Amino acid sequence: MADHQTLTGIGVSVGTAHGPVVQVRPAPKPPAGEEPTTDAAAAGGKVREAMAEVAASLTERASRADDHAKPILEAGAMMAQDPGLAQGIDKHLAEGKGITNAVNDATEEYCAMFESLGGYMAERVTDLRDVRDRTIARLLGVPEPGVPDLEEPSILVALDLAPAETATLTPTTTLGIITQAGGATSHTAILAAQLGIPAVVQVAGALDIPKGTHVAIDGGVGEVIVAPTDAEKEQLAERSRRRAAALSNVRGHGVTKDGTRVQLLANIGTAEDAERAAAEDCEGVGLFRTEVLFLDSDTAPTLEEQQETYERVFRAFGDRKVVVRTLDAGADKPLAFANLGEEENPALGVRGLRLQRRRTDLLETQLDALAAAQKATGGNVWVMAPMVAIREEAQFFADQCRKHGIKVAGTMIEVPAAAIRSTDILEVCDFASLGTNDLSQYTFAADRMQGELAGLLGIWQPALLDIIKMACDGGRITGKPIGVCGEAGGDPLLALVLCGLGVSSLSMAVGKIKAVKTALRLHDLGTCQRMADAARRAKDAKDARQAVIDLADPVMLDLI
Amino acid sequence: MATRTVSIASSVGLHARPAAMFVQAATSTGLPVTIAKEGGAPVDARSILGVMALGAKHGETVTLEAEGDGADAALDSLVALLERDLDAE
């Protein structure tokens, strides 16, 4: 049993929970100075034994898996028993390579071959590398990597979670998430908020918490209590209750105390998300991340497949607005069928609209599917492009939209150049939406996937607020709506600042809407504007936030 | 040496589920079975990675070979399998 202690990190998904810890291990790397193989036959035998164990465990998991996961696990089990792969490993062992390096190198030969074949085959590389990682873990005598099967509702602890790992999480078995790395805008954070799972990132020492240890977490203030006392558990529960009390009885539109309307919208990624969110008290969708549909797909989804999903989303929201972002691939979201090869700096490379212009087939199919779905449902559909930097790109996208029958076309503002010249951009399209996560990554030249840089990426950085202000000025000058669809919009305190800066809509994980709505109703527009000024006058992020708290209604302390 | 040629009936070709079914069937014969595309080198029919990398598409002809007791009967059963649209089943 671990000693009682309190660890702190950054709370990224509000809520409290307690339960046993399950550690999610990263894939083991084959050691660099590994002992060379002298007895290739014996080493080959060990490899076969490890692979047979991997196959058996995958087969066993497949027997309990749902229809979606079952074929993937079964295919993995077959790969682990593949005689061709075993022979390939034998060859490397015969050359004297260390045992795990031989496994790695032989697997990579197949991966290279599959990647060159593209499409469906390239997608299988992920499964093959998973088999490799499990085999190497067994040979090294360390736990198998990835999210294990949860035998009871648990709190997951990881260095960081990959998008593929978070995709299978459900709130029923995952009570909470703690990561040692990861930032406030990492995919772990976004997904946890979307699923309503309390999460704390940047918790030093999290990986040392032994498996099975009871921990309590508060995803609001960013606290992790190892081996909590009953009194502490009760304290966390009390915090949850106070929050719930502050939130009760707010329904309807987003509006400030003096009647200024601010649309409160949901961020969604799938038709299931849409149906869940549509049942909640929200005014529509401010960000429909369509690439989520593509991530699960072996090949580029057809027009018909896309149209079917879009129709489900539009139908769920009736005449409420749905803002769709076209395929945002590249950087941290690579797609097998839209891969233009390795890039030195993917976040600064061919991604978003830049990729769509190289692969206009993908863009045209998507716009056709969106237009057809809009026509079939009569939905209130707005479509925007990711990664627009200059006016010419915004113009290109708006032209494409019109050509394909999309009536309302806009751009994301996530590149500082686009924020600074938002007037130029808004002149050639209908609306803009600020993606604060990427905007802060590009403003501070700090990779948002790199946990240790999280300090630079705080949404309260005065420089980020200045850039947002410039973007909002363009909205005022052109009279066109400008919203926020990054995670910043879901912070009740920052939402007030954004509103004061002139944003007309805020989009967030649906679970955060209630707190933001409550915050807006407690303050008038004048106060929001004073908050924005005070935050921008501050010299650092911490002071900016404190300056806003000083101007806020005291009830806000229960909400943040 | 028993040899058979057969055209792939599966509409998606010999990958995904059809490939897995074929490899399982080839493995269960207990014989060293190979599969080759026209003009290509034969690969081990018991290797899912090899069979998938073969990339045999719908309507393409493949050659199966096997040696040993019951090779003819084994190949007949594999041919019967490939003649079905496995993906539709």
Side-chain angles (χ1 to χ4, degrees):
Chain A
M1 198 68 210
D3 290 340
H4 174 272
Q5 60 171 324
T6 300
L7 308 172
T8 52
I10 302 171
V12 291
S13 178
V14 172
T16 64
H18 60 87
V21 157
V22 167
Q23 290 276 358
V24 181
R25 296 295 176 194
K29 294 254 175 294
E34 193 175 29
E35 201 180 312
T37 298
T38 44
D39 186 346
K46 264 194 224 159
V47 167
R48 281 173 177 75
E49 202 176 301
M51 289 174 79
E53 285 168 11
V54 170
S57 99
L58 289 172
T59 305
E60 195 273 329
R61 279 176 62 194
S63 68
R64 290 180 286 119
D66 62 25
D67 288 348
H68 176 71
K70 198 185 178 100
I72 298 170
L73 293 167
E74 282 174 346
M78 285 190 76
M79 289 178 188
Q81 286 168 302
D82 195 300
L85 179 58
Q87 283 157 16
I89 296 168
D90 285 342
K91 264 188 227 151
H92 289 276
L93 291 171
E95 287 166 11
K97 263 190 205 151
I99 190 162
T100 62
N101 279 284
V103 170
N104 182 63
D105 294 354
T107 314
E108 282 306 312
E109 283 169 10
Y110 275 103
C111 291
M113 183 160 74
F114 281 13
E115 271 165 355
S116 71
L117 291 169
Y120 173 84
M121 300 301 294
E123 290 274 311
R124 302 281 70 75
V125 166
T126 314
D127 307 337
L128 187 51
R129 291 210 172 109
D130 183 61
V131 168
R132 171 200 64 187
D133 295 341
R134 289 175 191 282
T135 305
I136 291 177
R138 289 206 179 243
L139 289 169
L140 294 174
V142 300
E144 284 197 20
V147 179
D149 283 350
L150 301 176
E151 284 156 20
E152 56 181 328
S154 308
I155 300 211
L156 293 186
V157 179
L159 183 63
D160 195 8
L161 293 171
E165 287 167 332
T166 49
T168 56
L169 301 183
T170 62
T172 44
T173 49
T174 307
L175 299 172
I177 299 171
I178 302 169
T179 66
Q180 186 154 318
T185 60
S186 64
H187 289 282
T188 304
I190 293 170
L191 204 103
Q194 208 155 54
L195 293 172
I197 299 174
V200 184
V201 301
Q202 290 280 306
V203 180
L207 291 180
D208 303 326
I209 305 173
K211 182 181 164 201
T213 306
H214 206 85
V215 299
I217 81 167
D218 183 332
V221 301
E223 197 172 73
V224 174
I225 307 171
V226 181
T229 62
D230 286 345
E232 282 167 332
K233 279 190 245 175
E234 175 49 36
Q235 217 176 0
L236 284 194
E238 169 63 17
R239 246 185 249 167
S240 278
R241 278 194 294 273
R242 286 177 68 100
R243 214 181 114 73
L247 290 178
S248 63
N249 301 323
V250 282
R251 288 199 64 79
H253 294 304
V255 63
T256 60
K257 199 174 174 182
D258 59 332
T260 307
R261 284 283 305 276
V262 181
Q263 276 188 334
L264 299 182
L265 309 164
N267 290 344
I268 63 164
T270 63
E272 289 75 24
D273 286 351
E275 281 155 8
R276 256 195 310 271
E280 302 283 329
D281 185 27
C282 73
E283 295 174 64
V285 171
L287 175 62
F288 174 16
R289 298 185 175 94
T290 54
E291 62 277 3
V292 180
L293 309 170
F294 292 67
L295 282 173
D296 245 6
S297 190
D298 289 341
T299 51
T302 63
L303 191 146
E304 292 73 24
E305 283 163 358
Q306 291 189 50
Q307 186 182 340
E308 192 185 321
T309 304
Y310 302 151
E311 281 187 22
R312 262 179 79 188
V313 172
F314 300 161
R315 204 165 281 128
F317 280 91
D319 54 9
R320 284 181 278 177
K321 161 174 151 183
V322 177
V323 181
V324 184
R325 179 177 70 191
T326 53
L327 179 62
D328 185 15
D332 53 333
K333 288 171 289 196
L335 298 175
F337 56 85
N339 193 347
L340 299 179
E342 288 279 313
E343 287 185 303
E344 196 73 28
N345 257 321
L348 303 180
V350 181
R351 56 169 295 206
L353 183 66
R354 302 165 185 182
L355 181 88
Q356 294 172 13
R357 293 184 83 164
R358 288 258 199 110
R359 291 286 308 269
T360 43
D361 56 318
L362 293 175
L363 176 61
E364 298 200 7
T365 305
Q366 185 166 30
L367 293 178
D368 282 337
L370 286 165
Q374 193 280 328
K375 212 171 159 202
T377 58
N380 181 7
V381 178
W382 298 29
V383 180
M384 63 181 180
M387 279 300 279
V388 167
I390 57 171
R391 177 182 166 114
E392 186 271 335
E393 291 171 323
Q395 179 81 62
F396 164 83
F397 185 75
D399 290 345
Q400 285 292 318
C401 282
R402 287 183 190 120
K403 193 174 116 195
H404 290 269
I406 306 279
K407 293 187 193 76
V408 190
T411 57
M412 289 279 291
I413 293 189
E414 49 197 337
V415 178
I420 295 167
R421 305 286 296 202
S422 66
T423 308
D424 293 348
I425 284 176
L426 279 164
E427 277 172 1
V428 296
C429 65
D430 302 313
F431 71 99
S433 184
L434 285 150
T436 48
N437 307 345
D438 272 330
L439 186 57
S440 99
Q441 149 163 292
Y442 295 129
T443 300
F444 294 95
D447 188 344
R448 58 190 263 216
M449 306 302 283
Q450 186 111 1
E452 63 192 270
L453 300 178
L456 287 171
L457 292 171
I459 48 180
W460 286 95
Q461 289 282 8
L464 182 64
L465 299 178
D466 282 350
I467 290 246
I468 293 173
K469 166 77 165 48
M470 288 185 199
C472 290
D473 287 345
R476 244 191 308 275
I477 292 166
T478 56
K480 292 187 178 164
I482 184 154
V484 169
C485 64
E487 296 305 307
D491 179 311
L493 207 53
L494 194 68
L496 299 172
V497 172
L498 294 170
C499 175
L501 290 172
V503 157
S504 62
S505 68
L506 297 166
S507 191
M508 62 202 80
V510 72
K512 296 183 172 179
I513 290 180
K514 222 170 179 186
V516 172
K517 194 179 291 179
T518 307
L520 285 174
R521 296 217 178 162
L522 289 167
H523 302 87
D524 56 31
L525 183 61
T527 306
C528 294
Q529 285 164 344
R530 278 193 298 283
M531 287 172 161
D533 289 342
R536 288 181 54 226
R537 270 197 308 272
K539 299 297 178 201
D540 62 33
K542 194 164 158 277
D543 287 352
R545 185 169 184 271
Q546 189 56 50
V548 174
I549 290 178
D550 292 344
L551 292 169
D553 187 290
V555 174
M556 287 301 290
L557 293 176
D558 287 338
L559 290 180
I560 55 179
Chain B
M1 172 82 73
T3 302
R4 301 282 186 282
T5 58
V6 57
S7 143
I8 303 293
S10 277
S11 48
V12 298
L14 196 54
H15 71 43
R17 195 165 152 272
M21 291 172 71
F22 172 73
V23 170
Q24 272 162 352
T27 307
S28 69
T29 63
L31 298 172
V33 184
T34 64
I35 176 169
K37 282 210 294 192
E38 260 178 325
V43 301
D44 190 338
R46 298 163 301 181
S47 161
I48 184 74
L49 299 171
V51 169
M52 289 201 306
L54 199 62
K57 296 186 184 65
H58 171 75
E60 283 190 328
T61 304
V62 294
T63 304
L64 306 180
E65 285 184 355
E67 227 166 328
D69 280 353
D72 279 298
L75 289 192
D76 284 340
S77 70
L78 292 175
V79 164
L81 189 72
L82 292 179
E83 280 173 339
R84 283 157 41 197
D85 183 358
L86 299 168
D87 204 52
E89 288 170 19

